[in-house]
Amino acid sequence: MSEIDSMTQVADIQARALLALAAVDDLPALDEWRVSFMGRRSALTQLMRSLGSLPAEDRPALGAFANTARRTLEEALSDRRREIARAQPEAAADAIDVTLPGWPTPRGGIHPTTRIVREICAAFASMGFSVVEGPEIEWDHYNFEMLNIPRHHPARDMWDTLWIDFEDADGERPMLLRTHTSPMQARIMESTRPPVRVVVPGKCYRYEATDPRHEWHFYQIEGLAVDRGIAMTDLKGTLYEFARRMFGVDRKVRFRCDYFPFVEPGVDMSIDCFLCQGDGCRVCSHTGWIEIMGAGMVHPNVLEGVGYDPNIYTGFAFGMGPERISMLKHGIEDIRLFYSNDLRFLRQFS
Ligand code: PHE
């Protein structure tokens, strides 16, 4: 059959169907009409099925033509159904049960990560910190160099980096997915004068295998306070107050030496286990302590790099993983749950 023949046939089917439809005046007849003109064995359906055997160049035009005819018939059918229902409400009452409840609209909820990020930011906002965000695609310059981590320095191994496939004239890759929110320390200080008091929530990326405690993408919340006369006591006091707000007023905190190239001294901060009160249990790996963040006094090289005089200004910085904090608060055992979009997990938070 040629393309023209087929088109004539479609037009003919459509004309006959519409003519027959005009004569239909109750719902059973309407259903019969639907079966004979649009059902599986109807001429139109058969014709559409046989499209596959046509020469390839004829298929699109005829396919489109047949689809239009089908849509025309569908619309005519629902128009006719409405007309009949209006004329015979008692028949329509059988077809549409108006006493059935409507479809419930699913209610969305706030993602647990968003929830904990907001909670943490609110705790710091109430202590005078403002909230700032920064780019996820970052320059090597801010992610490393401005943070006292020069090119080819072994400290870079602390962050397994996802590089952007782009080389500069020296054959170096200057662009990456930020491995932490710390680059915002440099960006903020570069563009403002002290006093600085900010927290920076945002997504970070690392080229890492995943396991229950590691994701290759996750959030961090960075904190930075720089002014005249800021000392280690301010760091300890601020973070202690934060821990009490997040985990309860009885929390004890512990600071131990740790190394991050952009702080000196550097520390890691732990809280006493809120589950076993320090006796040792599964949550705290039987140590009684849970590490919740890295922190330290901003390194003089970092201050100098952004044009702050380290003889006048000092400051502290900290960085934490909000998913980890949420895991501790809610007894969540696998960080990957945050990003696997399982509604059974997510619904528990809304
Ligand atoms: N950026 C560090 C990390 O990702 C954490 C940190 C932030 C440590 C600020 C000290 C000060 O491991």
Side-chain angles (χ1 to χ4, degrees):
M1 203 194 316
S2 79
E3 186 194 352
I4 299 295
D5 286 343
S6 306
M7 284 195 174
T8 315
Q9 216 183 328
V10 171
D12 183 52
I13 294 170
Q14 177 177 323
R16 271 192 295 123
L18 291 178
L19 206 63
L21 186 62
V24 169
D25 55 9
D26 59 21
L27 290 175
L30 190 65
D31 208 43
E32 271 168 38
W33 178 90
R34 188 186 55 76
V35 172
S36 62
F37 288 99
M38 302 185 66
R40 255 180 302 137
R41 281 201 295 272
S42 67
L44 185 59
T45 306
Q46 304 279 348
L47 192 123
M48 285 174 99
R49 242 184 243 147
S50 70
L51 279 183
S53 59
L54 285 178
E57 65 272 21
D58 292 346
R59 263 178 246 159
L62 188 60
F65 192 67
N67 272 326
T68 311
R70 192 171 170 88
R71 229 171 297 122
T72 306
L73 295 189
E74 270 161 10
E75 277 162 25
L77 172 65
S78 63
D79 287 350
R80 191 80 191 113
R81 178 173 288 133
R82 227 172 295 124
E83 284 163 19
I84 294 172
R86 217 175 290 129
Q88 306 172 328
E90 64 290 351
D94 280 346
I96 306 162
D97 182 350
V98 294
T99 65
L100 279 177
W103 295 104
T105 313
R107 180 127 65 96
I110 293 172
H111 191 279
T113 305
T114 311
R115 201 171 277 271
I116 192 78
V117 166
R118 288 186 185 173
E119 217 175 302
I120 295 168
C121 289
F124 283 105
S126 74
M127 293 190 265
F129 285 73
S130 36
V131 181
V132 180
E133 289 182 314
E136 289 174 25
I137 297 176
E138 186 54 282
W139 298 103
D140 176 306
H141 178 73
Y142 288 107
N143 197 85
F144 291 127
E145 270 167 66
M146 295 290 278
L147 295 174
N148 199 29
I149 316 169
R151 264 180 199 193
H152 311 299
H153 191 282
R156 290 197 172 199
D157 291 350
M158 291 171 72
W159 296 273
D160 294 306
T161 307
L162 288 155
W163 295 94
I164 304 288
D165 192 8
F166 164 71
E167 277 181 18
D168 65 15
D170 307 325
E172 303 276 359
R173 283 171 304 178
M175 235 192 270
L176 45 78
L177 295 182
R178 68 176 172 194
T179 58
H180 48 181
T181 42
S182 303
M184 279 303 285
Q185 290 186 27
R187 283 183 177 272
I188 289 161
M189 289 191 281
E190 236 179 22
S191 61
T192 46
R193 303 271 85 203
V196 174
R197 270 175 191 68
V198 289
V199 282
V200 186
K203 196 99 178 263
C204 307
Y205 304 82
R206 291 198 193 161
Y207 183 60
E208 265 180 20
T210 63
D211 68 30
R213 289 164 53 81
H214 297 90
E215 254 292 5
W216 65 273
H217 60 149
F218 53 91
Y219 272 76
Q220 276 195 348
I221 295 179
E222 191 80 11
L224 177 68
V226 185
D227 204 348
R228 284 170 195 265
I230 288 193
M232 188 82 183
T233 48
D234 299 304
L235 178 159
K236 292 177 85 170
T238 307
L239 296 182
Y240 179 41
E241 181 55 25
F242 164 74
R244 284 159 46 96
R245 290 189 193 197
M246 290 304 284
F247 296 102
V249 290
D250 300 328
R251 282 303 46 80
K252 294 195 188 88
V253 298
R254 180 183 74 177
F255 292 94
R256 292 193 303 183
C257 291
D258 201 347
Y259 170 68
F260 301 98
F262 35 91
V263 287
E264 180 58 37
V267 294
D268 70 51
M269 174 181 159
S270 303
I271 54 174
D272 66 327
C273 182
F274 48 86
L275 203 72
C276 62
Q277 312 299 332
D279 292 341
C281 70
R282 212 166 37 96
V283 169
C284 58
S285 316
H286 303 281
T287 61
W289 294 97
I290 302 171
E291 203 181 303
I292 61 168
M293 66 176 107
M297 301 303 292
V298 181
H299 197 290
N301 290 355
V302 174
L303 295 173
E304 249 162 33
V306 296
Y308 285 11
D309 183 347
N311 296 310
I312 301 177
Y313 296 110
T314 48
F316 65 82
F318 55 87
M320 69 185 98
E323 290 98 345
R324 288 263 174 98
I325 293 191
S326 177
M327 288 167 77
L328 292 170
K329 279 191 81 161
H330 299 113
I332 299 163
E333 292 186 343
D334 195 324
I335 193 169
R336 293 169 294 190
L337 285 167
F338 285 91
Y339 299 105
S340 53
N341 287 334
D342 186 334
L343 288 176
R344 291 169 302 179
F345 170 71
L346 298 174
R347 283 208 179 102
Q348 297 178 66
F349 297 86
S350 52

